[in-house]
Amino acid sequence: MFDEKKTAIIFKAFCDENRIRILKLLATGEKCGCKLLEEIHVTQPTLSHHMKILCDSGVVVGRKEGKWTHYSISFEGAGIAVRCLQELTQISSSDENKPCCEM
């Protein structure tokens, strides 16, 4: 069971068009921050903001090389996000789902 705070952090990573574009770029392999800047046409501070959110979620990891950071999708982090979505959308058949009011 994932706690609500971690769940919100994970899904925050997916709720911005630029972050979705970044994830699509990273789906083809590791990319340097400079390449991401060229592709999504944002300022460096804006890219840093998006990358912090993606890295905080655990879905993306970064490694420093000189003055640049190279980013890639984390296999483990992506798996956690998938399991979190599955858990949230799993329909329970327990008695807790009975109507609370009788008509």
Side-chain angles (χ1 to χ4, degrees):
M1 182 76 160
F2 298 96
D3 69 37
E4 289 83 3
K5 184 172 183 154
K6 180 62 178 170
T7 301
I9 290 169
I10 290 169
F11 285 101
K12 181 178 181 179
F14 298 106
C15 69
D16 180 89
E17 292 175 28
N18 284 320
R19 291 193 287 274
I20 298 299
R21 286 185 193 105
I22 292 167
L23 289 168
K24 285 181 174 182
L25 289 168
L26 295 178
T28 61
E30 183 181 76
K31 300 282 185 295
C32 176
C34 63
K35 186 66 172 172
L36 295 174
L37 275 173
E38 291 173 11
E39 295 291 330
I40 65 169
H41 309 291
V42 296
T43 64
Q44 193 279 327
T46 300
L47 177 65
S48 292
H49 169 74
H50 289 306
M51 298 317 297
K52 178 176 180 356
I53 291 169
L54 287 166
C55 289
D56 285 351
S57 75
V59 175
V60 171
V61 292
R63 66 172 183 84
K64 290 288 278 182
E65 189 174 295
K67 71 174 190 166
W68 290 103
T69 302
H70 295 256
Y71 297 98
S72 58
I73 293 177
S74 163
F75 182 75
E76 180 182 353
I80 291 170
V82 167
R83 287 191 301 279
C84 183
L85 179 60
Q86 288 172 333
E87 186 177 298
L88 283 172
T89 57
Q90 183 176 1
I91 298 172
S92 174
S93 61
S94 71
D95 287 342
E96 295 175 12
N97 291 328
K98 288 185 178 178
C100 64
C101 304
E102 293 187 34
M103 297 188 168

